[in-house]
Amino acid sequence: MTERPETLIIGAGQAGLSTAYHLQARGREALVVDGSDRVGDTWRRHYDSLRLFTPRGIIGLPGSPFPGDRKSVPTKDEVADYLATYAARHGLAVRTGVTVERVVRHDGGFRADTPDGPIHADHVVVATGKARHPRVPSFASELGDDIVQLHSAEYQRPSQLSAGPVLVVGAAVSGGDIAVEASRTHPTTLCGRVTGHMPFRSNGPLTPLIPFIGNRLLSMRSPLGRRYRAAERDHGQPLPVELLRSIREVPDDRLEWTDDRVVGVQDGLPMTASGRALDVANVIWCTGYRHDYTWVEPLRIDAAGWPEQVDGAATGSPGLFFVGLPFQSAYGSGFLYGVGRDAAKVAAQIDRGT
């Protein structure tokens, strides 16, 4: 591997691999690096029971349909294996076990600092998706020592929980899914307001409309998409109809869903905005992640902390690009079915030298 690739892509998930595929199709050199041991490990680290809500028929990356029954939904491990196979099948240059600590301008291009030495490149594509720094409220440290606390990034299976009630904080997709699973073995309370829900089943007769809605209707080119972007980035994804139904089907004595927010601690127990202290033995924080791009220089950040970019090109920093940001150009940008469109736009700009 050369230490001065034309383009360095940071992140070997769906965003990075799609970008490498499109650059390769244009005859341009690219090296993909990732801090994990294997391609797909980011997916493998999710909780054991995770399945996608969108079927295989619409989630394939450019050049490779997702294998299996087009109407069935894959597990997270199947997605991980698909990504590893995708990289191998297309002969993409991927180096795992490489952590990029800092990106700076250097000698007319960029220098990416790693523990094993610098990598120089003419262009850099940051394809790390959402910054993976788990976010928990500051008062979490005040909870009783006997309460098991896990962020959704740490949660794998119900056996990690102690006997007794479970509180799941955050009712977006991961919170709802984990709450349903926890309720099978523990009485569970789900705290969080409804983030909205999809207007139809994600695996039903209207499934073919999902790419059109996610990539075109809800895009930055439409007033509806621009309004929706702010809500989606601030409050999480809308719940799939299937998940909403699963939550509501759990008996009330097994799963209580309340929009009463958890705002503090009283006598070592989580306390809600209504003043209710929840006597629980476990808390699972499904409160998302904080994004941190301070390791990329120079970079303009917007008021919400996201990189300023247009069609993936970083504002005011020629040669620096992003792929896989939530709602980068459309709602589908952060999903398997939509990331390839943004990757193609970035590859085209690199090919043109813009």
Side-chain angles (χ1 to χ4, degrees):
M1 297 283 188
T2 177
E3 291 302 318
R4 182 151 189 134
E6 182 181 40
T7 299
L8 174 67
I9 301 172
I10 304 170
Q14 57 264 24
L17 297 180
S18 296
T19 307
Y21 171 89
H22 281 294
L23 284 170
Q24 180 174 273
R26 291 174 174 271
R28 308 306 291 258
E29 180 199 15
L31 170 65
V32 185
V33 298
D34 194 284
S36 299
D37 293 332
R38 298 174 294 168
V39 173
D41 273 356
T42 298
W43 280 93
R44 293 185 184 95
R45 286 192 287 268
H46 288 302
Y47 53 94
D48 292 349
S49 62
L50 176 63
R51 287 180 175 271
L52 273 66
F53 288 95
T54 42
R56 303 166 194 261
I58 66 170
I59 62 173
L61 296 182
S64 290
F66 204 103
D69 179 4
R70 289 177 54 83
K71 295 182 178 180
S72 68
V73 294
T75 67
K76 51 103 176 180
D77 289 329
E78 288 177 311
V79 175
D81 292 343
Y82 167 77
L83 294 178
T85 300
Y86 184 88
R89 174 175 297 158
H90 294 291
L92 305 178
V94 180
R95 188 186 303 175
T96 56
V98 177
T99 301
V100 175
E101 299 172 332
R102 186 173 177 234
V103 173
V104 296
R105 285 208 168 275
H106 179 79
D107 194 23
F110 294 90
R111 188 190 74 229
D113 294 331
T114 80
D116 298 321
I119 301 174
H120 299 269
D122 298 325
H123 312 97
V124 168
V125 179
V126 178
T128 54
K130 293 183 178 179
R132 309 303 289 177
H133 301 288
R135 181 174 59 198
V136 298
S138 58
F139 56 77
S141 60
E142 301 173 25
L143 290 175
D145 293 338
D146 56 338
I147 294 179
V148 173
Q149 294 190 62
L150 297 169
H151 189 271
S152 57
E154 304 166 298
Y155 174 80
Q156 295 292 311
R157 60 195 69 89
S159 62
Q160 293 173 277
L161 306 174
S162 66
V166 174
L167 168 64
V168 177
V169 182
V173 176
S174 60
D177 205 19
I178 290 172
V180 170
E181 178 173 72
S183 71
R184 299 184 186 122
T185 53
H186 298 69
T188 301
T189 299
L190 173 61
C191 279
R193 68 177 188 81
V194 179
T195 56
H197 61 83
M198 300 295 289
F200 53 81
R201 288 192 297 123
S202 53
N203 190 11
L206 298 180
T207 295
L209 291 177
I210 291 177
F212 171 76
I213 294 172
N215 294 331
R216 298 187 182 278
L217 183 62
L218 296 178
S219 79
M220 290 300 292
R221 299 184 185 278
S222 73
L224 176 62
R226 290 191 291 272
R227 289 197 302 272
Y228 194 83
R229 182 199 209 194
E232 193 269 340
R233 280 186 161 185
D234 290 344
H235 305 299
Q237 303 162 15
L239 296 182
V241 172
E242 299 93 323
L243 177 55
L244 186 62
R245 182 182 302 125
S246 294
I247 296 172
R248 290 174 173 169
E249 286 177 349
V250 179
D252 291 344
D253 62 340
R254 300 302 306 172
L255 176 59
E256 176 194 3
W257 185 5
T258 173
D259 61 5
D260 202 3
R261 294 183 304 114
V262 176
V263 296
V265 175
Q266 178 178 301
D267 298 327
L269 298 175
M271 183 182 66
T272 69
S274 67
R276 176 186 175 193
L278 300 173
D279 189 4
V280 297
N282 308 272
V283 176
I284 304 174
W285 300 105
C286 297
T287 43
Y289 301 82
R290 60 180 176 85
H291 33 277
D292 177 13
Y293 296 98
T294 56
W295 56 280
V296 182
E297 303 174 17
L299 181 64
R300 295 182 187 174
I301 298 295
D302 66 20
W306 296 103
E308 290 186 6
Q309 53 79 35
V310 178
D311 285 337
T315 304
S317 189
L320 178 63
F321 299 88
F322 288 84
V323 177
L325 294 175
F327 221 120
Q328 179 166 306
S329 68
Y331 177 73
S333 293
F335 297 93
L336 284 156
Y337 69 80
V339 70
R341 297 178 74 251
D342 288 342
K345 293 177 183 177
V346 166
Q349 292 176 81
I350 291 174
D351 193 33
R352 292 194 303 265
T354 59

